[in-house]
Amino acid sequence: EVLLMMAMDEKTKRFRTHVVKEIYETEKDYTKKIRFFTHILEKARQKAMQDAAAKVESSFTDEKIKTLFSNIEEITAMHEDLMEVLDKTCATSLSYETPIAGCYLVIREKLGAYKMYGENNEQSQKVLYEFEEQQSVKAFFVAALLLGGHGDEDLSSYVFKPIQRICKYPLLFRELLKYTPQGHPDHENTKQALAMMREHCSVINEAKRRVEKLERIADLQNTIEGWEGSNVVDTCNELVREGILVKISAGNSQERMFYLFDNLLVYCKKSLINKSLSFRGRIAVENLDFESIEDGTSDFHTNGITVTNSWKVHNIAKNKWFVLYAKTAEDKQQWMEALRKLKEKRKRLAAGIANDTHIVVMEKGRKMHDKLLVSKELLRDHKVMLRTYTLSFTGEELVQWLVANKEVADKDEAIIFGQALVESGVIHHVQDKHQFKIGDLVYRFRFDDRTFRAKCETADLVSRGLMLYVRLHGQFNSLIRHEQNKCNISARKLLDWLMEEKDIERREEGVQLGQDLFATNVIRHVSDAQDFKDGKINYRFTADDGHDGSDKKTLALTRPEFSRFQLLVSFTFSIPYSQGGYGIELAGFDPIKIKSVNSEAQLLGAATGQIIVAINRRYIMDSHLAEAQFLIDAQLKAKAPVHITVLKNNSLYVTLTPTETGMGFQLRGSAPVIVNEVDKDSITAEASIIPGCCILKVDNEDMVHSTHELVVASIKKCLAESKQKHGVSKVLLKVGFGRLEQFTAYRYDSTDEIPIEVFEWTLESPYTFLVPALLMKLYKEEAQQLHTDIQKAKVKDPKFNEYLSELKTLVSNYKRAHSQLQVSSRYPSYKPYGTTYSIAVDQCPTNLHTIMLTVASPRPVHAHASEKAGEESEEASSTSNLMSTLKDHTNYYTTTMAIPSKESPATLPNQKVPIPAEQISAFQEAQDRRKMVAEVEKMMNGLNKQLEVINRLHGQLQGSHPEPVDDSHLAAQLRMSMLSTFAELSFSFGTSAELSSFNGHNPLLENIDDLTPNASPLNSPMLPRRSRFDTVVNTRPMIKLAADELVKKITAYHQLLGDKQLKKILEGADTLAPRPHAEVITDLKHTLNEMMYEVQQDMECKLLTDTVKKHLDMVELHHQELLLCLKISVCLCDDLEVLQIMDKLFSHTLTAITSAFANHLQAAIHRTLNPWAEYKSNEEGSELWLQLIVNRGLLVYLECTMMTEAAAGEMVSLGDMEAVLSQIKTIVLHVSETETDAELPVVSLSGNRAGVHVTFSIPTFLHKQLPEAVFSSEGITVRPVLFNTSLFESENKLELETKLNTQAFTILQDYYRSMRSFLLGKSKHTEHNDSGVLAIAQINRPLNAIDNLVRQLNVAIQNPSRPGVGQLAIASELAMRLGALRLNVCNSGCYRSQLSCSLSQAMTLTRCHGLPPRLLRTAVNTIRKDGSMVYVAKKNNVDVLNSSPKPPTRLYQLPSDMYSI
């Protein structure tokens, strides 16, 4: 017993000594950390003083600095005093006898400082989030941490460090008390210190919660016998998951108890007798990797045991594997998801810090380099090993210069910064043999020896390598050899091919390209034995690894992976803003559910218990409730509607019992019958039935094809029978839901090891039936007006009367079609493939869907991004999206549909008949005449409107209008008239001198106080958003200017009357018109001349009333005569049968373009659209796209993929598509404001066949986020391009395919030239903070990438050395880089178009979002097999495999394990 007591005493002494050392060392480290935090505070104050002295607007205000750092100086002073006491007490040694607890009682009175810090913690976090949004502020803190030697940490860790420390004290002193016996001199002090720390933690809410968690963890650790290593609470803060799993390792299968903490995985043996736990092992999460195992696997790792619900765990530190398996698949999924989230969190944090540090160092290094070039300091010639290096410097010289120029505080910081410059690739040792050292070693800037490579340059290389991969694999007879199931190509053949394709001019250039692709892991040597060299050496694309019979085991063990983790059917509804909120309450975590709803939200689709997938298209299924609530609160503060996406089944069985007020719903339509209205608070609303649902079954009897009367009768019959049998009336209904969405989520780790999540949505377009309905109404009104006008002419011609009779029938048909299509609710809510429909529904596109790819990644910091610190108000910053500081969402859209065709989609290929060429020619002739009618009407309307402007201005000057008329259209017209005199200055990017001079002296602008030099047309304050034009202009000068404009319009009309084409069109109408056209034109010219003379005689319009009005009435009379002649000429060459066919084709295409543009516009408004994501931030990309479409028009890229075996029929459809291209060019898009709360813009149509104007009305709260030019422009023109190819090899080259592709290339090339001139012209007036070389590179780098694509596409079309489908991928990427709307079409709209779409998506992820090149094929196959697009084929019941005697190229094959649908 004595020996046992002695042993226990020794153990107590040993453990107390250990705790004493831990307290002292951690206190010393903590004091050092907060001292450095205080040092950062001092730097922030200095920065604030410098900004104030320079009168620079800055976010470093005293208030924000005080809020962020709180009373950290007080806490630091307290701990420095404490360290003095500790150092004196522990001066001799740290041992069992050391009375360390008594030292902490000295600061008893000062610990109240932590209470103040804790109370300020929430406000401090808000300021921190705000600073994170502002790049200049963020860069300041990153630089401060880096130069202080803490570059691997972020500011938030320092902000929270005092809270973490105060929470650790109770645990430390509890452990100390455990090993301090009562006889020890420090026993009483330890008790008091423990009580003191607990008391102070209890008054800090955050600390109290944290202490409770840590104490539970400590208690858990105490129950484990034989614990090894440091305490869990030293590195962990929470227990994430626990449970019993079976562990297979070293041939043994054992049941173990596992505990997963936020930074540690611990496993123990659980005794079967007393349930005690014995320690068996621990793995730090950072040293842990895992991989799922397919059910039924039996291999080496499982010791030959066939396992289910299992996964492998890799201890990286020990390089050992073991297998775990759970009891259920759900348990396995939860464990793997928990591990994934922990790994992802650590990777994101580490990658984010590293990325921020890299950007800051690179920017600072670049500015330092520019400064040195100007000052000619430091950089001189140095000789090393008989070689002279220009513009070089030694390490010693750089350190001295940094200190002397106050770039750093001292020599130590200079050395740290020098090493950071080396690691970031800004400087390097001239022989690349050394890191940064102070001494005589010579270094150079990589800018000077052209070895610097920015991140986007690497992205360009990867993009070029992927395009090579696609082009080579897209060949029908590929150069890539398939030897032993492996895809190889020799370097010699690759270089020969590159020379033939004109990708390179010299072989040396090709060798350099190969070496660059090798360095970026796009290609590799077949055995990884050597770098890229010219010769008979075989290489392979890393994307082929594991997909061609190569070692799949090696592929499986390599990270990262591209995997799907969600496949759901969802439904999105919009809840409008109201002061009381949105009427829904959320609850839960992983997943978040709707806890309660009010009656208004219920009618829109919300229901209690629904699982929320996304809010405003932001995925939140695995997010915290606070994040979801934040998104809703942000919408509420903005007074905007909120869009909720929830899980939804395709159909639902409900049992309804009628009340005294009835069933509570109204039915409409037939085959199927639709729920048209639902009463508030009714049993139907409570059953989650909403307007738009379809009655599929009544009491298990199929009702899909039943009439309205039969469905109603069946419901009444069931109610009566139920009443008779059970005494209660009730009916069982099966209802189907429309507008459902397929949602798929993927994840992977980028090349920078940043976790990326990808969300793919397949959306049914809300415009499928709406746009055709509006178009039918427009065409009906046009045809009706034509019929009325022609009847007035009383033409006595039998053939002409027959035409009028057919025209009347056409009006009736279109009226009926509009009536049928304008129904608000439809089921299904899209037009499926292969079904016969009415004439009305035939006007709608088949299988129209939008594929939306959303990439969520940590927000990138672009080196060329403009600094916006201080631009937003404090209120705006505080309401900015908190989630966007963590993730940036980028949206990419592809619209898919069946190819527009006059035939039904179900028509067999051999039954399709092309439209005769002469009929198409006649239709084009009629269209030209309609355009002339529209042009003449436009001239007359211009005269009327201009005269109205003059009359109003004159009336205002005379006082007859004391209050100016609030006419927004008139005001806009007036402003445009005013600006027409200096349009060249404002719209051609005039010089500052020109604009300043004009602004200073022109009296017309004396009231425009916000005109600024160099204003671009997109953001020009020259187009103010005002409706009262009297506040914009000086009235008297404006009357003269308006009169000048009237003269110009009269002159333009006069010139049109002399046009030869007009006379040619009118020649054939003389025999039927009331008067010869020559007489009409002569009289009209004479009247216009008289009118212009009157205006010129009185330019101030003092007497311009009755005289001019009389002339204008006479002009109107002759104008109507001219219009009648023109309309008769239209009728003479019009073929109404062909017209209806072309109307149908145009309706399909217009609907698809409308749907695509609405999605792009919505994304641009929310700053998530970015076709240039590898070069620009989302905000810059969205703004550039808006500028581009306003100034250069909207490019619409239609991509058609064909099967050669069905060429006869598909060539007919392709010919139909070609015929409608000229009509697409007449589309003009407009954007306006509305009070709608819809997720997508509200669409309206105007115009006629000569030009259809589509107006997109967006909500008021979004209206302000778009530049004025989007609204004030005359509209956005549409530039269509049709590109097509066959996915299968054909013996005969299709002539039409070559013709269309050549035409498409010409349009793409012309649009690119226009875009290039716009961007380069715009850049001339953009100020760059970077060096001139960098500025040019930023402008040209995206253009250089497009140059390469244009050249490759030209070679592929004009001189194809080997036939294939690679040109399809080239054209698709080129269209994307040009900001085009991409429409993919094929025969069904759900197979080949989606094969092309999935390849484009995977290439976008690789090019813009860091998907490792070797995972390209994996991503393509995963999307094709498990993606949301498969859902389109499923619900259309279309065979996805589309069997063909000749297989397509590898790029357009489905994965081998793809199931047939």
Side-chain angles (χ1 to χ4, degrees), residues 1041-1307:
L1041 184 62
D1044 286 335
E1045 188 66 23
L1046 179 59
V1047 171
K1048 291 179 182 178
K1049 291 183 181 296
I1050 295 172
T1051 304
Y1053 198 181
H1054 197 284
Q1055 291 175 349
L1056 178 64
L1057 294 176
D1059 187 75
K1060 293 181 180 180
Q1061 185 180 0
L1062 175 64
K1063 294 179 180 179
K1064 183 178 179 181
I1065 290 174
L1066 292 171
E1067 286 175 356
D1070 283 348
T1071 57
L1072 301 176
R1075 277 210 306 161
H1077 74 274
E1079 295 181 9
V1080 174
I1081 290 177
T1082 301
D1083 292 345
L1084 186 53
K1085 284 182 177 181
H1086 177 71
T1087 310
L1088 287 171
N1089 288 335
E1090 290 182 346
M1091 181 178 176
M1092 184 164 60
Y1093 175 79
E1094 294 291 342
V1095 175
Q1096 289 174 335
Q1097 291 300 310
D1098 185 13
M1099 292 302 293
E1100 293 189 4
C1101 306
K1102 294 180 180 179
L1103 304 175
L1104 193 65
T1105 51
D1106 297 338
T1107 305
V1108 175
K1109 184 66 170 62
K1110 180 180 178 181
H1111 286 302
L1112 188 63
D1113 291 341
M1114 188 60 66
V1115 169
E1116 178 68 32
L1117 178 63
H1118 297 318
H1119 168 77
Q1120 292 298 329
E1121 289 183 306
L1122 179 61
L1123 278 181
L1124 181 60
C1125 294
L1126 285 171
K1127 290 181 178 180
I1128 290 174
S1129 71
V1130 171
C1131 298
L1132 290 174
C1133 68
D1134 202 9
D1135 187 332
L1136 294 184
E1137 182 180 352
V1138 177
L1139 181 69
Q1140 292 181 71
I1141 293 174
M1142 299 306 296
D1143 285 349
K1144 174 182 175 181
L1145 299 176
F1146 180 70
S1147 177
H1148 289 194
T1149 313
L1150 175 65
T1151 306
I1153 293 174
T1154 301
S1155 181
F1157 181 74
N1159 284 292
H1160 280 72
L1161 178 64
Q1162 191 78 350
I1165 292 172
H1166 293 292
R1167 300 300 187 261
T1168 59
L1169 182 70
N1170 193 359
W1172 309 278
E1174 68 268 52
Y1175 308 108
K1176 298 182 178 294
S1177 66
N1178 283 355
E1179 184 173 352
E1180 292 173 321
S1182 297
E1183 290 178 356
L1184 178 58
W1185 184 79
L1186 290 170
Q1187 291 179 8
L1188 188 62
I1189 64 173
V1190 169
N1191 288 277
R1192 294 298 186 264
L1194 177 67
L1195 185 65
V1196 176
Y1197 171 77
L1198 296 109
E1199 180 179 288
C1200 178
T1201 49
M1202 300 183 298
M1203 284 176 55
T1204 305
E1205 284 67 25
E1210 295 196 0
M1211 289 300 292
V1212 172
S1213 298
L1214 195 60
D1216 295 345
M1217 194 72 183
E1218 179 193 18
V1220 83
L1221 284 179
S1222 60
Q1223 274 187 282
I1224 299 175
K1225 296 176 184 178
T1226 66
I1227 299 173
V1228 181
L1229 308 177
H1230 304 268
V1231 182
S1232 67
E1233 179 183 3
T1234 185
E1235 296 297 330
T1236 180
D1237 289 322
E1239 184 181 11
L1240 289 174
V1242 176
V1243 169
S1244 59
L1245 301 186
S1246 60
N1248 47 49
R1249 283 189 178 84
V1252 175
H1253 294 253
V1254 187
T1255 301
F1256 297 82
S1257 301
I1258 61 175
T1260 304
F1261 70 95
L1262 294 177
H1263 181 268
K1264 299 177 182 178
Q1265 300 182 29
L1266 283 177
E1268 173 66 24
V1270 175
F1271 303 97
S1272 61
S1273 66
E1274 295 184 358
I1276 300 168
T1277 58
V1278 174
R1279 303 178 67 174
V1281 54
L1282 175 60
F1283 197 90
N1284 72 102
T1285 191
S1286 172
L1287 297 184
F1288 301 86
E1289 186 175 6
S1290 174
E1291 295 180 0
N1292 300 318
K1293 187 70 176 177
L1294 300 177
E1295 182 179 346
L1296 181 59
E1297 177 182 330
T1298 305
K1299 170 190 170 184
L1300 289 176
N1301 288 350
T1302 303
Q1303 293 174 352
F1305 173 75
T1306 302
I1307 297 173

Side-chain angles (χ1 to χ4, degrees), residues 285-352:
V285 171
E286 63 182 357
N287 292 328
L288 178 149
D289 209 347
F290 63 95
E291 174 191 345
S292 180
I293 301 177
E294 292 184 6
D295 290 349
T297 298
S298 174
D299 59 14
F300 170 77
H301 290 295
T302 66
N303 195 30
I305 301 173
T306 302
V307 295
T308 57
N309 308 324
S310 60
W311 66 99
K312 297 177 184 178
V313 175
H314 183 204
N315 187 339
I316 299 173
K318 297 182 178 180
N319 195 25
K320 290 186 178 181
W321 290 81
F322 58 85
V323 174
L324 297 177
Y325 66 89
K327 293 181 180 180
T328 64
E330 182 182 3
D331 198 19
K332 169 193 172 181
Q333 183 63 30
Q334 291 173 352
W335 271 100
M336 292 192 66
E337 187 68 9
L339 287 167
R340 181 195 64 79
K341 287 181 179 179
L342 291 177
K343 294 283 292 180
E344 185 177 288
K345 182 179 179 181
R346 295 182 66 87
K347 284 182 179 180
R348 182 181 291 117
L349 179 61

Side-chain angles (χ1 to χ4, degrees), residues 121-163:
N121 182 63
E122 184 177 349
Q123 296 301 320
S124 178
Q125 291 291 330
K126 288 183 179 180
V127 174
L128 182 62
Y129 285 132
E130 181 181 343
F131 282 173
E132 285 286 324
E133 285 288 296
Q134 300 168 358
Q135 299 305 328
S136 61
V137 181
K138 186 175 182 180
F140 168 80
F141 286 118
V142 170
L145 289 166
L146 174 66
L147 296 178
H150 302 277
D152 57 344
E153 298 179 274
D154 62 348
L155 186 64
S156 61
S157 65
Y158 281 89
V159 172
F160 203 64
K161 207 170 284 295
I163 301 295

